[in-house]
Amino acid sequence: IGFFDYIKEPEVFLEKIHRMSAEQVVFSFPIRWTLRSLSRWLRLNLNHCPVYFYNASECVRLLADAGWRSATLHRLSRDYLVRGRSD
């Protein structure tokens, strides 16, 4: 938790994990529009630390583009928990 918050190009990481032949993965992605996301974005960017947020379709698309055939998404309080499967 907290990794994709700071990764500018998550596609690179996701593709690498898929190439390593992981059949199933679970990742968390921070939700774009929450009460906390705006204040967090301001605080971190003012300190020169970019932070990234995602919507549900972006999460599913990122896993599909990396090669996983199916992805399920569960909304937790401020994050999406995304499970990708190769089958």
Side-chain angles (χ1 to χ4, degrees):
I1 294 177
F3 181 77
F4 288 107
D5 304 41
Y6 307 103
I7 302 299
K8 184 177 183 177
E9 297 177 351
E11 302 88 354
V12 174
F13 176 79
L14 291 168
E15 289 170 3
K16 186 176 279 191
I17 290 296
H18 189 264
R19 281 194 312 268
M20 294 173 68
S21 72
E23 292 180 20
Q24 182 171 279
V25 295
V26 176
F27 297 114
S28 71
F29 293 87
I31 296 173
R32 177 167 291 137
W33 300 115
T34 66
L35 289 175
R36 186 172 183 256
S37 60
L38 179 59
S39 63
R40 187 169 177 233
W41 182 87
L42 285 169
R43 177 177 47 86
L44 289 169
N45 276 275
L46 287 172
N47 287 303
H48 308 288
C49 179
V51 62
Y52 304 93
F53 300 95
Y54 303 85
N55 64 39
S57 61
E58 286 175 306
C59 295
V60 172
R61 180 190 51 80
L62 284 167
L63 266 67
D65 289 352
W68 281 284
R69 293 184 186 199
S70 66
T72 56
L73 184 128
H74 301 279
R75 184 181 177 129
L76 302 175
S77 63
R78 64 181 190 123
D79 293 300
Y80 291 116
L81 191 62
V82 182
R83 178 177 152 203
R85 297 177 56 163
S86 292
D87 55 6

